[in-house]
Amino acid sequence: MFPVPAFLQCPNPDMEQFPVIETRDINKTFPGVKALSGIDFTLLPGEIHCIVGENGAGKSTFIKILSGFLRPESGDIVIGEETFRYLSPHLSQEQGIQVIYQESLLVPQMNVVENIYVGREITGKLGFIDRRKALSETRKVIESLGIALDPQAMVENLEVADRQFVKIIKALAMNPRVLIMDEPTAMFNAQDTGVVLKLVEDISKRGISVIFISHRLEEVARVGDRVTVFKDGRTVASHDNPRRNIDLAMITREMVGRSVDAFYKKVKTHPGETILEVQGLKLDKDSPEVNFTLRRGEILGIAGLVGSGRTEIVEALFGAGKKIQGKIIIRGREVTIDRPSDAIRAGLGFITEERQRTGLALGLSVAKNMTIAGLNKFKRAFITPADEIRSAGRYVDDLAIKTPSLQQEVRFLSGGNQQKVVIARWLFRESEILIFDEPTIGIDVNAKAEIYRLMSKLAANGAAIIMISSEMPELIAMSDRVLVIKHGQITTELVGENITEEKIITYAFGVTDDEQTA
Amino acid sequence: MLSVIFGALNPRFLSMRNLLAIFQQIAVLGVATMAMALTLISGGIDLSIGSMIGLSTVIMCRLIMDGTAVPLAILIGAVVPVGCGFLNGVIVAKSKCVPLIVTLGMGYVYYGFALVISGGLFMSMQGQFRTLGRGVIAGIPIPMYVVILMVLGTHVLLKYSKFGRRLVALGGNETVAFLSGIGVDRLKIITYTLGGAIMALASLVLVSRLGNVLANVGEGYELRALAAAIIGGVTFEGGRGNIPGVFLGVGLLGIVQNGLNILQVSSYFQTLALGVIIVAAVVVSNIEKIRQ
């Protein structure tokens, strides 16, 4: 009845044995970090090739090299019969590579059809947009995929799952040879996940190769023809999965692999009295209740995948994020925390993850950034530079902040020194409960060790610390206890010897028997 | 440098009388620029300040013409811009809308009220309340004292007070200010209200000097104050700028305008020149970003 669009046609079966993409010895370095070392990767026509690995294992970097957003230092990318040193975004698309990113790249104020054809609108004779043709083409694709989606619905009114479909259709409409999906099921419930997975299988049956990145190992086992494990910028293993029964325990072990090097270890203290108790904290009506306690002298690690809701929990605690209920008891007294000023008054300090965006006013001086949360520490109404030197100056010495003066704008400081300024802000305020969200992100190795030593010292002096981290060695070496978060819920609490990379990953990824939700 | 050029072109420029005249001309602008600078540094802007002058002065005159006691009329006239600033602050803080648009619209509201109250006619102070604008102490016109005190006061407030610290932090990074426990909404309302209070003073000086006004008497002050502030080193992003610099910006604008007057450049061309200066100042102040 209708001509079948090209991308829905089956490929020539003779092509099957040649890889669509092959990378050879890809290397990529970021300042201070070797992001990828010697990646050899093969993608066959029509296969679903899953990539798994921890946060920071190099998956995203590798995808960005395939999509042309990053250039490797060395190595070859072979696509079909052509060999490239690197790709550009344009070249990558031209070679038939389409990426569906986690973050939405749709225009919410446009409807489904308009989004699919944005930038390459179908025009009629006079140059006007041919809406009817675009609509009928889109309908055809939706029908062929067997999903229910109104092509004229506004994207802003769509459910998350449907938006994901729109992204997929949009990518398919470009006639790709390769579809890369970065955590396509991350925010779905079980039912929608099933639909997406089925769709992925359909797509691969049409001869389109899929690179499927997921943190959910059950999914990987279910759809993957092959599974490649990334670890510290290397591919550590690649398994065929013809019977969909790959050993997930083995995969987990391979993801962990590295022995945890004791680069710095928190000085063991005897935790003092309980300073903070969180009881029945709920962020919204569907989210699980969160309960935990924190004692003086303790570092409480919070582990979990990116997007697992770790930050949201501490933001709620600090009065900076939404919450609908929950009792917060500090030093034995219940406190109401509706906004950060309440939390600060109760003795909390928050060192945020995005230092440059939410931690510092970059154009302001070291002194101004340092004193902003504790201006009331100044007794007099007016503050002179001499007052600043007297009161804030000692933190420059105590924390060894490298800056020519207190009046230097913080944007000229290195990452490590900037982080020290943020920490100094809360020391100046005399906060006793410090929340560190990814304390060493974007900081070089030496400064990292300094930050660890500082956190350890603070704990030894009676402060209580909550540390969110995605870095396993950091969590293991620094934490007295670790809470593992998954989907906003504390899945386990690990103490002492039980804090191992394997356990954290197991609970964070949820490859356990008590797994019911996903 | 500009003074020298204008002085060379016309010797009258450098006379003492003319220098005093420049000061007199920039007195109202100087005060108004303090209001503009404060809102800009806090990360906002108030484009309704020109209309506040119109509304305030028209109300004063109307009350006096209707027989209200002069002190009461002046008090009411002075409270009006404070209220306007408060209203701007509340809308900006609570609606989370772009202050540029909010205050542009509110400027029309205030101007509209001024037109309604005045019926579009000249309003007169009937010879009352002349000292503030025209008086002289020790050979120096009173508006000069006013502007100098205002500049010093704003400078100290911004640089040394806790309020000033919080305001600069708010402009520097609103999220950081919020996470540091600053009541961001409240601080915005206070800042705009303070701007309104400063405009009350500007209105009093102007109405006292002019004696009678039209509803559009404050027209253009917002843009000139903006230009002076930007020339003086304040940025649109907020968090940056110091008051002595801003005052230099005011002086520069005053000198240019006076010089053009003395050279008898038509007011049409002066408008054109002002526009060019404003755009040039904004572009120059953005040079660092362009380079990036």
Side-chain angles (χ1 to χ4, degrees), chain B:
Chain B
M1 194 183 73
L2 270 173
S3 329
V4 176
I5 296 171
F6 284 124
L9 289 171
N10 188 329
R12 260 212 304 147
F13 180 83
L14 283 176
S15 71
M16 190 62 198
R17 251 186 67 187
N18 188 48
L19 290 181
L20 281 179
I22 291 179
F23 245 103
Q24 195 125 34
Q25 283 166 1
I26 64 169
V28 175
L29 179 63
V31 175
T33 305
M34 295 303 119
M36 180 60 82
L38 282 180
T39 50
L40 278 172
I41 292 171
S42 79
I45 190 172
D46 194 336
L47 289 177
S48 69
I49 58 173
S51 303
M52 287 184 197
I53 296 181
L55 184 58
S56 164
T57 54
V58 160
I59 286 176
M60 271 186 257
C61 293
R62 181 83 255 171
L63 288 172
I64 288 173
M65 289 161 79
D66 290 349
T68 310
V70 175
L72 183 62
I74 286 170
L75 182 69
I76 293 171
V79 168
V80 167
V82 181
C84 295
F86 176 76
L87 192 57
N88 290 352
V90 169
I91 297 175
V92 166
K94 297 297 175 194
S95 76
K96 318 270 175 224
C97 292
V98 188
L100 189 98
I101 307 299
V102 170
T103 58
L104 191 66
M106 289 311 286
Y108 263 71
V109 173
Y110 305 145
Y111 179 47
F113 268 116
L115 283 171
V116 169
I117 291 165
S118 68
L121 303 171
F122 261 107
M123 298 276 102
S124 166
M125 289 292 278
Q126 304 194 318
Q128 302 286 344
F129 189 61
R130 291 161 61 97
T131 321
L132 184 66
R134 301 188 183 197
V136 172
I137 297 174
I140 296 170
I142 290 177
M144 275 184 63
Y145 293 104
V146 173
V147 71
I148 286 168
L149 283 176
M150 203 59 233
V151 168
L152 285 177
T154 312
H155 177 57
V156 170
L157 187 73
L158 193 63
K159 183 128 196 233
Y160 299 106
S161 77
K162 291 174 190 170
F163 166 77
R165 289 304 182 91
R166 296 192 173 112
L167 186 141
V168 172
L170 172 66
N173 187 330
E174 186 168 335
T175 310
V176 171
F178 173 66
L179 291 176
S180 299
I182 292 174
V184 167
D185 286 356
R186 189 162 154 262
L187 184 58
K188 282 183 187 170
I189 294 170
I190 294 174
T191 304
Y192 281 90
T193 308
L194 183 63
I198 294 172
M199 291 319 296
L201 191 61
S203 306
L204 291 178
V205 172
L206 190 68
V207 78
S208 171
R209 193 178 87 214
L210 296 177
N212 53 56
V213 294
L214 279 171
N216 70 355
V217 62
E219 196 183 331
Y221 271 103
E222 61 287 320
L223 213 52
R224 279 189 287 155
L226 179 63
I230 301 280
I231 292 170
V234 176
T235 63
F236 265 106
E237 287 77 33
R240 251 170 222 285
N242 64 81
I243 298 301
V246 169
F247 188 58
L248 279 180
V250 173
L252 194 83
L253 265 195
I255 289 167
V256 169
Q257 200 177 1
N258 177 272
L260 293 175
N261 274 338
I262 285 184
L263 296 175
Q264 296 182 334
V265 175
S266 89
S267 72
Y268 305 151
F269 273 106
Q270 288 195 22
T271 301
L272 198 158
L274 179 70
V276 171
I277 290 171
I278 289 169
V279 176
V282 173
V283 171
V284 169
S285 78
N286 215 26
I287 257 179
E288 205 176 323
K289 252 203 200 143
I290 299 170
R291 288 220 182 101
Q292 281 171 11

Side-chain angles (χ1 to χ4, degrees), chain A residues 98-284:
Chain A
Q98 281 292 321
V99 185
I100 299 169
Y101 293 98
Q102 272 173 279
E103 57 276 25
S104 181
L105 295 173
L106 301 173
V107 185
Q109 299 87 347
M110 288 183 171
N111 70 25
V112 173
V113 180
E114 288 164 338
N115 260 290
I116 288 168
Y117 285 97
V118 77
R120 38 179 214 96
E121 290 79 4
I122 302 178
T123 48
K125 274 186 204 125
L126 295 170
F128 291 111
I129 292 173
D130 189 344
R131 283 170 194 280
R132 226 186 284 167
K133 181 140 183 254
L135 180 61
S136 68
E137 293 283 325
T138 307
R139 279 228 170 90
K140 250 183 276 172
V141 178
I142 292 174
E143 274 167 31
S144 76
L145 292 175
I147 51 177
L149 180 66
D150 174 7
Q152 284 172 304
M154 284 292 167
V155 164
E156 59 191 346
N157 298 333
L158 293 180
E159 299 288 321
V160 211
D162 288 338
R163 288 187 202 198
Q164 192 69 29
F165 290 142
V166 178
K167 285 198 259 180
I168 294 171
I169 295 168
K170 187 177 171 182
L172 287 177
M174 300 296 283
N175 261 328
R177 282 199 277 179
V178 176
L179 193 62
I180 302 175
M181 304 171 103
D182 191 359
E183 297 228 33
T185 60
M187 54 267 265
F188 289 168
N189 60 31
Q191 195 189 345
D192 290 338
T193 299
V195 180
V196 174
L197 293 181
K198 179 150 180 315
L199 191 54
V200 172
E201 286 177 325
D202 277 3
I203 291 167
S204 80
K205 288 204 185 94
R206 290 174 181 156
I208 298 168
S209 310
V210 179
I211 298 179
F212 186 93
I213 298 171
S214 178
H215 276 315
R216 296 185 177 173
L217 297 184
E218 313 90 334
E219 289 176 3
V220 167
R222 197 169 128 195
V223 299
D225 294 313
R226 264 201 300 169
V227 180
T228 295
V229 181
F230 272 54
K231 171 78 187 162
D232 295 335
R234 294 171 192 280
T235 49
V236 291
S238 204
H239 305 279
D240 287 324
N241 182 27
R243 292 200 193 83
R244 305 293 190 253
N245 62 351
I246 196 163
D247 181 0
L248 292 182
M250 170 186 71
I251 298 278
T252 308
R253 264 197 312 278
E254 285 167 353
M255 282 161 59
V256 177
R258 149 172 56 77
S259 64
V260 179
D261 45 335
F263 59 105
Y264 189 82
K265 234 175 151 44
K266 176 182 183 281
V267 178
K268 287 292 160 213
T269 52
H270 293 290
E273 83 267 25
T274 299
I275 190 168
L276 169 73
E277 264 185 273
V278 175
Q279 296 176 353
L281 178 69
K282 268 174 83 109
L283 308 195
D284 56 48

Side-chain angles (χ1 to χ4, degrees), chain A residues 456-471:
Chain A
S456 184
K457 196 175 116 191
L458 290 170
N461 289 341
I465 292 175
I466 297 173
M467 177 183 74
I468 296 181
S469 175
S470 298
E471 284 200 41

